[in-house]
Amino acid sequence: MVILLLVWEAIGASGLVDPLFISSPTGVARAAWQLSQRRDFWTDLQVSATEFMLGYGAALAVAIPLGLALGLSKRLQYLIGPFVDTLNAVPRVTLLPLIIIWCGIGIWSKVVVVFLGAVIPILINAQSGVKASEARFIRVARSFSASRFKIFSSIILPGVVPFIFTGAKYGAGRALLGVVVGELYASTAGLGHLIADAGNTFQTDVVFVGALLFMAAGLIVVALLDVFEQRFERWRPSPR
Amino acid sequence: MPAAVRAYLAHERVILGTLMVLLLLIAWEGLERGWWADALRPLLGDSAQRLRLKPIFISSPTLIAAAAFRMFFVTGEIWRDLAWSSAGYLLGLVLAVAIGIPLGLAGGWYRRLSYAVQPFLAALNATPQVAFLPLIIIWVGTGLSERVLIIFLLAVLPLAINAHAAVRTTDPRLIKVAGSFGASEWQLFRTIILPSSVPFLLAGLRLAIGRGMIGVVVGEIYGSAAGLGAMINQAGARFQTDRVFVGVLTIVAAGVILVEVVQRIERRVEIWRTPA
């Protein structure tokens, strides 16, 4: 890692390659500092964060209950399953031109793309989590005449949690992708807009700052989800 | 139980699924043709007209089918886009396989290399790789190489990560046994690691196929002369909703076919494996 940074800096400083092409770590750091002084940078950040949170929040709110319901009820799965499978096969960003026709180029088209990107993996994971719950436990609980709700809350739900978190982590990546593509495609503000703008004006260092910010956002979201997961999983005896 | 009920229960999945899809298609067609607006007019009065949507807004199944027929068989324009996009897609995917799999396998086998490569893989995997698109364009322009690079970047990670995980999860007992019988590193690799990592590699390939499809569309955002993604973008900009749908469906079909091929291969290759 350090070696890479040093080599990068050396190439940038030596002037062998035009700084237009690769910039350099110090150049990127300087650009980051300058950006942080500008007010519109913080608006961009805020816009992107809002899009991500609205879309991702809505995806969680829809996908978890729906996924659980689909896993529990076979009929419901027969009814909704074809749509989920179809949407799963569609790379959701290809729908972007349509979504822009429907919702315009403001933040709502991005919220919809983020939502569509994140909702499917979470839903599918929640559903397969219910399917994978230990059949023996359910049989035992039934023989002790546990109610359906009791079985759901004390056997199925705890078993599904790791699946949901896996889905949520995957979905977070998809959601970020939605933010970037949506903003590259058509937008008036946001980090992706900043990157696209900087790319068009050959400000390589600013593009790097934007890409690094997205990287940081991805790592932070996954780390947060890991922390939450550990909280939820603390009761589980470790397998070793 | 009467025979009709039994027949229904036996095929419940197909019946309910088809029913829902049909309902959706009819509802959709109705929105565009104004069936619902006409039907609900006595109830809602003039506000029912809101249910009559313009074709540029949602198009309709029949319009899409007509557009598809025109583009595939009458004008044939889509074949050029298809060929153009496939060239970039295949190149990117092949490059991703050629670099991602060996890198992942090597990273899984040599611990030192893994320490060096792992942080990059983890960081890149957390980033939406599309964010590098403006950089790629600065580097190589907007031609074929740009599209190949973005598809490569999107597809390489699942391949490398799965190859890495595959080597890591090889049964250590097998390796130990082979080692005590004096197997060379090459023999170890060829007879134990490679066969046991095939399922992981194919799973990675399936993921990579889907990711690459994103690259086709995104890579053609910035003015491409032809290609499915460019076609979708242009049609969207001109409010030709039916053409957008045709493009999206074509991409979906291509993805489904490719994944099916991989699954066929998977079953072929896995035939010798005893079920666990």
Side-chain angles (χ1 to χ4, degrees), chain A residues 1 4 20-22 75 77-80 82-83 86 89-91 93-95 97-98 101-102 170 173-174 176-177 180-181 184-185 195-196 198-200 202-204 207-208 210-211 214-215 218-219 222, chain B residues 8-9 12-13 16-17 20-21 24 56-58 119-120 122-124 126-128 130-135 138-139 154 207 210-211 213-214 217-218 221-222 232-233 236 239 241 244-245 248 251-252 256:
Chain A
M1 201 75 192
L4 178 91
L20 201 62
F21 282 106
I22 56 162
R75 292 246 160 81
Q77 198 214 322
Y78 291 158
L79 287 174
I80 315 276
F83 300 112
T86 317
V90 180
V93 293
T94 57
L95 297 174
L98 286 176
I101 294 181
W102 293 333
Y170 193 69
R174 285 318 184 83
L176 274 178
L177 179 83
V180 183
V181 179
L184 283 183
Y185 196 87
I195 294 183
N200 289 342
F202 290 101
Q203 294 170 289
T204 313
V207 179
F208 267 114
F214 273 116
M215 190 182 285
L219 289 173
V222 170
Chain B
Y8 167 75
L9 285 179
E12 192 176 27
R13 176 184 203 124
L16 286 180
M20 275 307 271
V21 173
L24 180 90
I56 60 161
F57 215 60
I58 53 160
F120 292 107
L124 262 183
T127 326
V130 181
F132 293 108
L133 186 63
L135 273 181
I138 292 181
W139 291 336
L154 280 163
L207 280 176
R211 297 288 205 88
M213 289 292 170
I214 296 177
V217 180
V218 176
I221 285 183
Y222 290 103
I232 292 179
N233 294 331
F239 293 98
T241 316
V244 176
F245 272 111
V248 171
I251 289 184
V252 172
V256 170

